[in-house]
Amino acid sequence: MKIYKLFFIIFILLSSCVNEQFSLNLSNRELISGLIMSDYGTVDVINDNSVMLYDGGFIALKKPGITDLVSDITVDLKEGEGAWFAIRCASNKNEEHPGILLTYSTNGVLVQEKGKSPVNLVQYKAKIDEPTRIVFRNDCKRYDIMINCDTVYTGWTDLPNTEYVLVKALPKSKVLLTGISMFEKGEE
Amino acid sequence: MKKYLLFLLFTIVVSSQFWGCISYSRTETDIYTISEMDTTTSYIDKNAPGNRDNGIIYSSSRTVESKRDLIQRDSTVTREYPNFIRLGLFESVGLIGSGSNYAAGMGMFGVFPDFENLKTSYTGGTGKIFSGGLYRFGVVEWRLRWFRDAKDWTYGTSGLEIIMPDARTEYALASIAPLYIRKRWFLREQIPYIAITAHTGIGWYPSQYLNLAGSIDVGSIGGLNVRAYLGLAAGQNPKGSPQVKMSPAFNSSTIKSVTSVFPYFGIGISVLDFLNRVPETYREWKDHEHSSWDIGLTQMILLNSGASSIYNTNNSSTLLTGYILRLANASVALPLLDWKLYAGTSLINFIVLGNDEWGMGILPLRLGIWQTVIMDELSVEPFIEYNYYPSEIFHLGGRLNLRVTEGINLGLAVGYASGSTVRRFGSDMMRQLGKPMSFSRPYIGLSIGIFDRIFFPEHLRYFKDK
């Protein structure tokens, strides 16, 4: 009779597997929902609070129900050029929808919003094996981008607030994201 | 130890993740917050009447009030996606060569049995092509992501699977919730798909068996699929299994476990059986492509044909005399008359015009024209139908369908049915269902469709670009 139970358990466990979705911060109840949007093998979820992005690795991090969102991510560039971030957007059909885009690379920081002039901040350059804390703070129409506790850019936008931060490794880059936390404005 | 297992099972079953997986839809919800800021400025002059005795320079009575409001509105977007690769109601395969001396004669696709012999005491005979059958009820498959996300692997199960090589019940392998792993190679990647599929399955209760098979699959279109199978089933029926207990080959002193090993070849069909390729599981339900005017579980027409009523128990007259019941229906659009012409069928079709005037059809052939009268609401459907087995009935009719909800519709039906009950029915069936008789009658009735979805041109893939 035991073999029947084993079959049953294996079957139910198999049916519970959805590999493209993951969760972070399960241990401290600050749950973040993640979605792997790139090919198999380009993203590794490590432990409970870290994600490794390989060449082309693309994830969406979501704090369900919170849109005035403060996202705090430590970016550790292991190889290549850097990473690309997007706020005020969503995972679904993200390529069709506008958002505020930040490219953090060895060439500096580039902030872009459709219809506005890009802002290039060359003094903030990514360096290999040098962890950098990047914070996106959304406050109604205003948003702040902080790098290592410096507010490097403050912008105003008419784009709606969303629950998401999208992160993508630049080509031939390997990026470790650690210390990921997302919370509501005012809870910092 | 049993308590822990029970607790583990309970935890898994109550977890939302588990129910999320077995649900046929996957829901994604996003919230967008739109911020609006508004500043209102009020200027108020409170000038008192009369002269002011306060010199040349004096303070104005005008006050300015500036008020700033922040409004944040949440906009929630919900999207529904299919959460399965395959979801089917019923699959049936007629097996050839799995037991020549005890052939049950299940007929083409395994759904045209010799009704006279549908009893456990029947142990088969010779001279029948389709010796056995393979039946699955409630089939489901999900995507299996292994071998570095190799393409088109699935795992799945069915509510009940029966593989019977011949008429001897003790050799029939059956299991509830058998575990299957399948791999498909698609030869045609447009609807209807054509694929070669490898199946590996394990049954665990009441029979324990392994089923290895390969098949060529065509479908699904309108939930209909046709498959050709080649396989090998090997397993055992314990002496306590229902198949052995029911078998006329044993009595209480001779009962024993039975080993059943047999190769098989079969041709099968499945109804209300929907197949998605992986990209389709990322397409919202509302954007899915449909090929049929109607797909449904049940259509019923409550009718008056002027015959003696089946509801009449004391010879008083009744408004209704009978009914027409169609189970597992599909009306697939054909590329004629601007896709209004359709070919349809049902798994089972009961035509009961009245007492002693009835018949039954399995997979009847139906041809009709589907005309939308009011978009999303009303459609008319004249049709001609030929039921060839086990009864032979010509049926000409028309329905006016009012869509009430996505799964329910009501309507009016008129028609004329002419045929014979008796053809190919056995005496056992006759005793149960009534006297055999030929009939020819017009009828009028009210129709109701339950879990029966009517599609309109905007839903059909043929009209997407128009």
Side-chain angles (χ1 to χ4, degrees):
Chain A
M1 196 63 190
K2 278 181 183 172
I3 193 158
Y4 302 147
K5 288 175 183 167
L6 192 67
F7 274 131
F8 192 54
I9 290 168
I10 289 170
F11 170 71
I12 288 173
L13 287 177
L14 270 174
S15 70
S16 299
C17 297
V18 181
N19 301 33
E20 66 214 1
Q21 293 175 355
F22 62 91
S23 299
L24 298 176
N25 295 349
L26 282 167
S27 57
N28 62 8
R29 296 186 181 180
E30 291 179 359
L31 186 72
I32 295 171
S33 301
L35 179 70
I36 298 172
M37 298 162 69
S38 52
D39 292 342
Y40 182 85
T42 56
V43 177
D44 267 346
V45 180
I46 306 163
N47 303 323
D48 189 30
N49 195 248
S50 309
V51 180
M52 180 71 90
L53 304 179
Y54 300 95
D55 184 3
F58 191 10
I59 57 169
L61 300 173
K62 177 182 181 180
K63 184 75 174 177
I66 306 296
T67 52
D68 265 349
L69 188 66
V70 180
S71 310
D72 189 339
I73 302 170
T74 300
V75 180
D76 189 355
L77 181 62
K78 297 293 182 188
E79 288 173 17
E81 283 191 27
W84 172 95
F85 298 82
I87 57 171
R88 307 259 177 164
C89 56
S91 60
N92 183 55
K93 298 180 181 173
N94 68 87
E95 65 282 355
E96 296 173 17
H97 294 295
I100 292 162
L101 316 176
L102 177 123
T103 309
Y104 179 63
S105 72
T106 50
N107 299 320
V109 168
L110 179 68
V111 183
Q112 292 167 285
E113 184 186 343
K114 193 177 179 184
K116 294 184 181 178
S117 303
V119 177
N120 208 346
L121 305 164
V122 292
Q123 64 271 41
Y124 299 99
K125 290 182 177 173
K127 291 176 183 167
I128 302 283
D129 286 332
E130 194 171 290
T132 305
R133 187 177 168 205
I134 297 180
V135 179
F136 299 96
R137 189 175 189 281
N138 291 284
D139 185 359
C140 304
K141 295 194 173 191
R142 171 182 163 156
Y143 62 96
D144 299 308
I145 297 170
M146 288 175 260
I147 293 180
N148 285 337
C149 302
D150 284 345
T151 303
V152 300
Y153 185 77
T154 295
W156 294 80
T157 181
D158 286 326
L159 295 176
N161 294 21
T162 65
E163 306 157 288
Y164 285 91
V165 176
L166 309 187
V167 191
K168 183 160 66 175
L170 293 179
K172 297 177 183 172
S173 298
K174 182 178 167 186
V175 181
L176 177 64
L177 307 176
T178 57
I180 302 167
S181 62
M182 295 167 78
F183 41 83
E184 191 166 15
K185 174 193 75 179
E187 289 182 358
E188 308 102 294
Chain B
M1 189 64 188
K2 280 182 182 174
K3 281 183 183 173
Y4 298 138
L5 278 171
L6 205 63
F7 179 72
L8 180 65
L9 287 176
F10 178 75
T11 310
I12 292 166
V13 167
V14 298
S15 72
S16 58
Q17 182 84 330
F18 171 71
W19 288 109
C21 286
I22 65 169
S23 166
Y24 74 92
S25 280
R26 175 171 59 84
T27 306
E28 286 185 6
T29 304
D30 290 335
I31 301 173
Y32 297 83
T33 301
I34 298 161
S35 303
E36 288 176 3
M37 278 184 273
D38 188 25
T39 303
T40 311
T41 306
S42 308
Y43 301 91
I44 303 170
D45 286 311
K46 293 178 181 173
N47 289 328
N51 295 325
R52 293 188 194 89
D53 185 16
N54 47 10
I56 295 169
I57 299 170
Y58 58 94
S59 59
S60 167
S61 63
R62 187 183 199 198
T63 58
V64 179
E65 187 180 87
S66 184
K67 191 177 159 191
R68 196 171 195 196
D69 293 312
L70 169 66
I71 301 166
Q72 286 195 298
R73 287 182 283 115
D74 279 356
S75 166
T76 305
V77 180
T78 303
R79 298 181 300 276
E80 302 271 352
Y81 300 88
N83 195 28
F84 59 87
I85 295 294
R86 182 183 169 198
L87 187 66
L89 179 73
F90 177 66
E91 180 180 1
S92 169
V93 183
L95 301 186
I96 302 169
S98 52
S100 55
N101 293 328
Y102 303 95
M106 300 308 289
M108 185 78 170
F109 306 131
V111 289
F112 298 101
D114 188 345
F115 282 86
E116 196 170 14
N117 299 324
L118 273 186
K119 48 196 172 188
T120 53
S121 59
Y122 180 66
T123 55
T126 55
K128 295 170 180 172
I129 297 171
F130 293 93
S131 51
L134 187 158
Y135 303 96
R136 295 190 179 108
F137 302 87
V139 188
V140 63
E141 288 179 45
W142 299 280
R143 183 183 180 187
L144 178 58
R145 305 183 70 167
W146 64 3
F147 302 134
R148 297 189 69 77
D149 230 4
K151 279 177 74 177
D152 300 319
W153 283 89
T154 67
Y155 66 98
T157 188
S158 50
L160 175 67
E161 178 180 78
I162 301 168
I163 311 173
M164 45 179 287
D166 50 42
R168 296 171 298 174
T169 55
E170 68 271 24
Y171 287 93
L173 300 170
S175 177
I176 57 168
L179 179 62
Y180 268 84
I181 290 176
R182 293 182 173 93
K183 163 74 178 167
R184 287 185 176 82
W185 291 271
F186 282 90
L187 306 176
R188 177 186 155 88
E189 300 194 346
Q190 274 98 39
I191 298 170
Y193 302 123
I194 301 175
I196 294 173
T197 308
H199 312 246
T200 303
I202 297 170
W204 56 285
Y205 183 81
S207 309
Q208 292 88 54
Y209 60 88
L210 177 69
N211 180 25
L212 301 171
S215 66
I216 297 175
D217 312 341
V218 180
S220 69
I221 187 163
L224 299 170
N225 298 263
V226 179
R227 296 184 177 88
Y229 277 90
L230 184 66
L232 174 74
Q236 184 200 45
N237 283 322
K239 66 179 179 182
S241 63
Q243 300 98 304
V244 173
K245 282 182 177 173
M246 286 190 307
S247 170
F250 301 110
N251 57 41
S252 57
S253 59
T254 61
I255 193 166
K256 62 177 183 179
S257 297
V258 175
T259 301
S260 182
V261 182
F262 54 92
Y264 61 85
F265 169 73
I267 298 169
I269 192 169
S270 62
V271 293
L272 291 180
D273 185 359
F274 304 96
L275 181 72
N276 286 319
R277 298 198 63 234
V278 170
E280 287 177 287
T281 61
Y282 293 96
R283 185 183 297 166
E284 287 184 66
W285 274 122
K286 66 181 177 63
D287 297 328
H288 262 247
E289 295 183 327
H290 302 284
S291 311
S292 304
W293 289 108
D294 177 80
I295 299 174
L297 180 65
T298 309
Q299 283 177 8
M300 188 160 195
I301 300 171
L302 300 169
L303 58 83
N304 188 325
S305 66
S308 168
S309 172
I310 59 163
Y311 310 107
N312 188 355
T313 52
N314 53 5
N315 289 329
S316 58
S317 62
T318 56
L319 182 63
L320 301 172
T321 61
Y323 62 87
I324 293 173
L325 177 65
R326 294 172 179 169
L327 298 175
N329 312 290
S331 301
V332 181
L334 296 177
L336 288 170
L337 302 175
D338 197 22
W339 298 95
K340 289 176 183 169
L341 188 73
Y342 74 83
T345 190
S346 309
L347 179 62
I348 299 174
N349 189 20
F350 286 103
I351 297 177
V352 182
L353 298 180
N355 207 18
D356 299 332
E357 298 185 32
W358 63 273
M360 185 175 94
I362 294 171
L363 298 179
L365 303 173
R366 195 179 305 129
L367 206 62
I369 293 172
W370 200 283
Q371 177 66 52
T372 300
V373 180
I374 301 174
M375 192 64 83
D376 291 333
E377 299 285 347
L378 209 60
S379 55
V380 289
E381 173 202 358
F383 62 87
I384 183 165
E385 180 183 83
Y386 176 49
N387 297 268
Y388 49 89
Y389 188 90
S391 302
E392 187 171 15
I393 306 166
F394 285 97
H395 182 194
L396 189 68
R399 290 202 317 159
L400 177 69
N401 304 304
L402 174 67
R403 177 185 178 275
V404 180
T405 68
E406 193 169 282
I408 296 176
N409 56 73
L410 298 172
L412 295 171
V414 291
Y416 174 83
S418 174
S420 165
T421 310
V422 296
R423 193 164 182 253
R424 301 185 189 97
F425 268 106
S427 55
D428 282 7
M429 293 289 286
M430 287 297 99
R431 273 197 294 275
Q432 289 173 31
L433 297 176
K435 297 174 194 169
M437 192 171 162
S438 297
F439 54 87
S440 290
R441 281 189 186 273
Y443 67 83
I444 184 165
L446 297 169
S447 75
I448 180 168
I450 299 172
F451 298 117
D452 185 56
R453 185 173 176 190
I454 290 174
F455 295 91
F456 290 87
E458 62 189 5
H459 302 126
L460 265 63
R461 60 195 170 106
Y462 314 113
F463 297 95
K464 289 277 182 192
D465 299 327
K466 288 189 178 180

